[in-house]
Each structure stands twice: as structure tokens, then as C-alpha cells.
């Protein structure tokens, strides 16, 4: 059986993976769905000091303290930044990297470097409009419709989404290249989005580089829109 660590994206939480995690556990796998600092049930820890390094440390500590190895490490959206840095730090612990409609950074890049410029500007503007002590330090969540979330799940996504620390988006990742030693890489792309997708180029690059790549007819939150299909792909990832 396989050990999975599923990392959510911005404005999210481990709760987003509930259906996929339950399905994998029923198949006998071990599954961790950690929530990053300041998000989900840890939103009471929200701070302007949180950055990408904070979230990388979150996941490194899960793997360390749970004594995990042979991990299939999946990251959704912003989570692609996190899993790349984790795999770069401990490639010997990672059996496969799964990018779930996620950013794939190179050394020295931030998420804002990779995103569509109009999106980056919108997020900066939203951060600047936040009142109080966190003004300019966190980005309020866009509505679920922005990500093409299905109608059934959209109200819950809107209710549970937490502000994302700006530092996570602007910190430039530092990579040695050791993450390239992970033996298997997979990309999942949600093809139905009510706007230009910043993730399609990563999907196309993954295909061109010979990765296992899947295009799914759904919105950006694949784990909500296509949990059965995602479970099947993850089940065969190790």
C-alpha cells in the first residue's frame, strides 16, 4: 500500500481532499491531508509573516514527524510551489510528484512570476483593499465561480475559504534541482475554466517532457469536481 500527502492550494484547507482521501483509504492506503498555516481550521493563525517557506516547513514536518517514506506527494494550484520545494529538500522520501492543476516553479521564481499578469495585479489590488492590521498582507479569496467550482460545492468553498498570506505569492523559491531525482511525475489539468487558465502551459510542458498527463473536463478544483477520476489516477501513481 502507498502513503499519500495531499497539499491544498491557496484559500483552501485539507478539507478539500476529503472525498479523495476517503476513497484512497478504503483501498488500503495511508493518506495525510495537512492544512497549511493560516488556512482552513488553522485560519486563526493567519499572519502577515506567513510565506512559502512557512508552508514548505509545514509539509516537511508532517513527513518528518510521521516518519514517512515512499510518499506520493500531490499539490493543488499554489500547492505545486510547496511540493516542489519539499521534494527538493528530501527527494529520497518522495516516490512521485502529482501536480493537480498546479504551478511548477523553477529556481528563483515566485508564484506571481508564474501567474498571468492580470491575475497577479488583481490579487495585489485585493490585498491592498484589506482593512485593518492585515492591509496589504493577505489576499481575500475570490469566489468559487472564479475557479469554476461545481454548483453543489461552490457555497461550501465560499464559506470556508480563508485569506491567503501575500508572502506565499511573492517569495521566490530556492531549488537545488534535487527534486528532479523523484522517479515519477504526473500532471492533472482541469480544462473547464471561465477565464484563461494559467495552468494549461504547465500541462502542455508536462506532456512534452514525457510525464503522465491527464486533461479532465472540470474546473480548477479537480478533487471536488472529479474525485473518482482523481482517486483512480492517484491509486496508480506509486
Amino acid at each position: 500500500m502507498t502513503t499519500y500527502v495531499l497539499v491544498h492550494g491557496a484559500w483552501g484547507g485539507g478539507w478539500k481532499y476529503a472525498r479523495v482521501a476517503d476513497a484512497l483509504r478504503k483501498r488500503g492506503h495511508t493518506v495525510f491531508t495537512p492544512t497549511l498555516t493560516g488556512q482552513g481550521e488553522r485560519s486563526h493563525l493567519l499572519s502577515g509573516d506567513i510565506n512559502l517557506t512557512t508552508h514548505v516547513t509545514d509539509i516537511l514536518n508532517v513527513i518528518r514527524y510521521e516518519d514517512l517514506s515512499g510518499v506520493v506527494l500531490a499539490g493543488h494550484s499554489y500547492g505545486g510551489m510547496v511540493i516542489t520545494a519539499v521534494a527538493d529538500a528530501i527527494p529520497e522520501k518522495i516516490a512521485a510528484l502529482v501536480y493537480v492543476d498546479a504551478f511548477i516553479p523553477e529556481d528563483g521564481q515566485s508564484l506571481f512570476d508564474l501567474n498571468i499578469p492580470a491575475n497577479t495585479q488583481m490579487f495585489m489590488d485585493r490585498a491592498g483593499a484589506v482593512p485593518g492590521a492585515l492591509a496589504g498582507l493577505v489576499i481575500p479569496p475570490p469566489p468559487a465561480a472564479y475557479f469554476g467550482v461545481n454548483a453543489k460545492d461552490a457555497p461550501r468553498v465560499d464559506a470556508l475559504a480563508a485569506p491567503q498570506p501575500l508572502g506565499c505569492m511573492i517569495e521566490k523559491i530556492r531549488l537545488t534541482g534535487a527534486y528532479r531525482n523523484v522517479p515519477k511525475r504526473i500532471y492533472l489539468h482541469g480544462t473547464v475554466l471561465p477565464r484563461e487558465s494559467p495552468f494549461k502551459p504547465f500541462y502542455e510542458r508536462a506532456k512534452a517532457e514525457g510525464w503522465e498527463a491527464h486533461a479532465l473536463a472540470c474546473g480548477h478544483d479537480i478533487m471536488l469536481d472529479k474525485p473518482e477520476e482523481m482517486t483512480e489516477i492517484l491509486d496508480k501513481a506509486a
Side-chain angles (χ1 to χ4, degrees):
M1 293 294 98
T2 302
T3 298
Y4 296 84
V5 176
L6 310 180
V7 181
H8 64 83
W11 307 290
W15 59 269
K16 277 196 173 183
Y17 282 114
R19 292 174 197 153
V20 172
D22 287 348
L24 288 170
R25 289 176 184 131
K26 286 177 181 176
R27 299 182 184 208
H29 302 299
T30 299
V31 186
F32 294 85
T33 59
T35 291
L36 302 172
T37 301
Q39 301 289 284
E41 73 275 15
R42 304 181 70 202
S43 57
H44 60 289
L45 301 175
L46 182 63
S47 162
D49 295 329
I50 296 169
N51 58 15
L52 175 60
T53 296
T54 310
H55 289 163
V56 172
T57 304
D58 285 338
I59 304 306
L60 286 171
N61 280 346
V62 170
I63 294 170
R64 176 189 176 194
Y65 286 97
E66 298 291 347
D67 194 22
L68 306 182
S69 60
V71 173
V72 173
L73 182 60
H76 175 236
S77 197
Y78 158 73
M81 305 289 294
V82 177
I83 67 169
T84 303
V86 169
D88 198 64
I90 51 168
E92 71 281 0
K93 299 281 188 179
I94 311 301
L97 285 169
V98 183
Y99 292 84
V100 185
D101 224 23
F103 295 99
I104 307 175
E106 301 289 346
D107 181 51
Q109 292 181 320
S110 71
L111 185 145
F112 277 172
D113 291 331
L114 297 171
N115 209 339
I116 295 169
N119 293 352
T120 294
Q121 186 59 56
M122 180 190 71
F123 295 149
M124 291 290 289
D125 292 344
R126 289 175 66 83
V130 171
L134 291 176
L137 298 176
V138 300
I139 307 167
Y146 181 77
F147 297 110
V149 177
N150 68 81
K152 181 180 177 180
D153 287 309
R156 187 164 186 255
V157 171
D158 284 331
L160 297 183
Q164 179 77 7
L166 184 65
C168 302
M169 308 292 200
I170 64 176
E171 183 183 359
K172 295 183 182 297
I173 198 168
R174 296 302 173 195
L175 302 170
T176 67
Y179 69 96
R180 296 190 179 95
N181 295 326
V182 173
K184 189 171 186 179
R185 280 175 272 183
I186 300 170
Y187 201 96
L188 282 64
H189 175 49
T191 61
V192 183
L193 203 65
R195 58 188 176 87
E196 180 184 0
S197 173
F199 305 102
K200 185 177 180 180
F202 296 110
Y203 165 69
E204 296 293 348
R205 189 178 98 192
K207 283 200 304 180
E209 292 180 1
W211 297 25
E212 179 183 332
H214 303 266
L216 303 177
C218 65
H220 179 51
D221 285 10
I222 295 172
M223 71 291 293
L224 297 179
D225 292 347
K226 296 286 185 179
E228 297 87 1
E229 290 88 337
M230 183 172 171
T231 297
E232 288 294 332
I233 293 166
L234 289 175
D235 190 35
K236 299 172 184 176

